[in-house]
Amino acid sequence: MRRTAVAVALLAFAAAASAQLQFPYSGCTKALSKSKYSVKPVTTFPGTNTICWTVQYSNPQCANPAEECCNTDLHKLQLDVKPSCATGFKATATVNGQGTPAPTIYRPPNAGSDQYVLSIPGLGLNGPSANGASICLTLTGGSCMSLAALTPSPVWSVALWDDAHQCCPVCATWAAIAGPTVAVDDLNFFGDAGNCATGKDVISELFAPYLEDGTIIAGTDSITCNGNKITACATTFSKEKGAKMATELEALGPDALVTAVFGFNGECPLSLAGYSVSVSSNNDDCGIFMAGPACAPPTTPFPFCVCNKAQGATPFYLDDAVAVNTAANEYCLSVSTAAAAPGAGKCGSATTMKKAEFYFNYDMRWKLTGITIKYANGQTATRSQSWGPVGDNTLKVSDLNWKTSDVKNLKPKICFTFKSGTSLYDFSMDSSYVWASLFNPDQTCCPTFPAQ
């Protein structure tokens, strides 16, 4: 049995309490509860010396909708910075990819001698359309070339000003980038290192709630793939929040946590057939370990004849994912070619695929409106319904006679179109899968595959 593991390492980051913030050193209205604007508590770093904040616009955030600052625009972002960063400072900024006036560092009129701000004006954001806007700062000169170098404490503080300079809701969170990590590794979805990138999205979804609430504050953009190993590093707000995250993940239980990581609910997906899954931590402080399900390959009595049904018996294979055209109510299954499995014997030397047979419900045949063969070169062919003996529920797509070279070059798909209200899964004799057998000319070899 192949083994897939997800290791979650939650390491500690001690956080010291900070003094009450006076930023942005003005008499403007600072409370978030009196504004609809904020930025996410996690920054991203899409390029060298580039820092991005994501704007959030939320009606519920404003405690009293009649408040003046609940009905303003977003003109300017200010970041609390060290006075020493002003010397030689150079930078550019964008909002949603469009350039803004040049950012500057200066001391506000009412600020103390050691109180400076970095200002990005001309944002031009207003109302609900501001939600999700990306404000990016690229540092090009000076002594402070990172977020951590700019900020006067481990906390970065941002003020979001309106054009009237009356409202300046302040958002603050931790700026540290180095140190503790959250790591996920040894994740292999399909036994194919080329699909490693798929796991990036899955891991991002797993940690999304902890990005939203500020538990994870930096670094999740550094998810990397190396062979069948995925590593995701991040920085947590504090040791306590990291421990709380570990406890919550563990409390999900094996089924829910495996579902979150591997993207399935209930029955194992075909992509994990033959794997066992587990979640574990390589950090003693977390101590997470739980076993998930062992995903046994599905079985079927189909086809009802004597032939070699083993997958890999011949060089012809069926993709396990069904492509769906919802508008046309069309479902397509792709045939591919690869080397036969070791020990396939006589079937392994097959060079021609004569036909395909599908385990479909004969009593619903009137709901099938078309069978189309589609090729990568744009050509198509059609087939009429042809069924096996009554009771076998076997639909035949015959006279294909595809060589391995044909399949390699033309990448054929067998497509089924149904009347409105009927799906391929209604038509299948198996409520979970669609089954197809790919026959060689003498019909002694019939590798049989499930698809979803």
Side-chain angles (χ1 to χ4, degrees):
M1 181 73 71
R2 293 169 289 178
R3 184 176 186 274
T4 299
V6 178
V8 181
L10 304 173
L11 309 182
F13 180 67
S18 61
Q20 184 177 356
L21 300 175
Q22 299 301 315
F23 171 78
Y25 317 117
S26 168
C28 56
T29 301
K30 302 179 178 68
L32 283 173
S33 61
K34 295 186 177 183
S35 174
K36 295 180 181 180
Y37 298 103
S38 65
V39 293
K40 287 188 176 182
V42 60
T43 53
T44 60
F45 305 90
T48 303
N49 308 123
T50 297
I51 308 144
C52 294
W53 292 268
T54 302
V55 176
Q56 299 179 120
Y57 181 90
S58 169
N59 286 314
Q61 179 178 297
C62 225
N64 180 6
E67 289 274 1
E68 182 179 356
C69 289
C70 290
N71 301 280
T72 62
D73 66 340
L74 176 50
H75 168 69
K76 177 172 62 179
L77 179 149
Q78 284 188 341
L79 174 70
D80 194 22
V81 297
K82 300 172 185 173
S84 59
C85 294
T87 303
F89 171 76
K90 292 182 179 180
T92 59
T94 61
V95 56
N96 292 332
Q98 300 298 313
T100 71
T104 56
I105 292 180
Y106 60 91
R107 183 171 67 86
N110 298 320
S113 60
D114 61 345
Q115 296 174 330
Y116 279 65
V117 298
L118 187 160
S119 183
I120 304 175
L123 301 180
L125 299 173
N126 198 347
S129 62
N131 191 56
S134 179
I135 302 171
C136 294
L137 172 71
T138 300
L139 304 166
T140 60
S143 59
C144 303
M145 299 298 288
S146 69
L147 180 59
L150 284 166
T151 56
S153 76
V155 174
W156 59 256
S157 301
V158 161
L160 304 175
W161 288 83
D162 70 336
D163 194 33
H165 287 79
Q166 299 299 314
C167 310
C168 61
V170 173
C171 311
T173 193
W174 292 80
I177 300 170
T181 62
V182 177
V184 177
D185 65 316
D186 294 333
L187 179 60
N188 180 358
F189 282 89
F190 311 120
D192 178 358
N195 287 301
C196 178
T198 304
K200 289 185 177 182
D201 294 335
V202 179
I203 295 171
S204 295
E205 291 175 8
L206 174 64
F207 291 128
Y210 300 101
L211 282 164
E212 294 291 338
D213 69 10
T215 295
I216 297 175
I217 61 173
T220 52
D221 56 320
S222 62
I223 301 175
T224 58
C225 291
N226 182 13
N228 67 348
K229 180 178 181 180
I230 295 180
T231 303
C233 296
T235 304
T236 58
F237 182 91
S238 66
K239 178 177 181 177
E240 291 74 21
K241 279 188 173 287
K244 180 174 180 288
M245 175 178 166
T247 300
E248 290 174 353
L249 288 174
E250 193 168 24
L252 292 174
D255 291 341
L257 189 53
V258 169
T259 296
V261 175
F262 293 100
F264 68 93
N265 187 11
E267 294 184 8
C268 293
L270 288 175
S271 55
L272 287 176
Y275 286 85
S276 61
V277 294
S278 66
V279 177
S280 62
S281 166
N282 61 13
N283 181 271
D284 292 339
D285 290 338
C286 302
I288 297 176
F289 178 82
M290 56 188 71
C295 298
T299 59
T300 181
F302 182 81
F304 306 103
C305 58
V306 178
C307 57
N308 187 343
K309 304 177 184 181
Q311 296 173 24
T314 74
F316 297 96
Y317 294 82
L318 188 81
D319 189 56
D320 62 14
V322 178
V324 182
N325 181 339
T326 304
N329 201 24
E330 180 184 66
Y331 301 79
C332 295
L333 297 103
S334 297
V335 176
S336 61
T337 184
K346 177 184 175 182
C347 287
S349 61
T351 58
T352 302
M353 176 183 147
K354 179 181 180 180
K355 65 177 179 178
E357 293 186 354
F358 296 86
Y359 194 24
F360 286 161
N361 190 339
Y362 177 78
D363 292 337
M364 295 184 68
R365 62 193 181 279
W366 59 277
K367 293 190 175 183
L368 175 64
T369 59
I371 304 171
T372 307
I373 314 299
K374 296 185 176 183
Y375 299 100
N377 62 5
Q379 293 184 351
T380 62
T382 60
R383 293 290 188 275
S384 299
Q385 291 191 35
S386 174
W387 293 86
V390 175
D392 276 5
N393 294 298
T394 300
L395 176 68
K396 301 179 180 182
V397 180
S398 302
D399 299 322
L400 298 175
N401 299 313
W402 291 333
K403 305 291 186 183
T404 51
S405 58
D406 296 331
V407 172
K408 182 178 180 180
N409 295 326
L410 296 175
K411 299 177 175 56
K413 298 178 181 179
I414 303 174
C415 301
F416 302 95
T417 307
F418 298 94
K419 290 184 177 180
S420 177
T422 301
S423 73
L424 181 66
Y425 305 102
D426 298 326
F427 205 62
S428 175
M429 288 299 295
D430 187 318
S431 61
S432 299
Y433 307 103
V434 175
W435 289 94
S437 300
L438 310 181
F439 283 84
N440 71 332
D442 68 8
Q443 302 187 73
T444 58
C445 309
C446 60
T448 300
F449 302 87
Q452 286 180 312

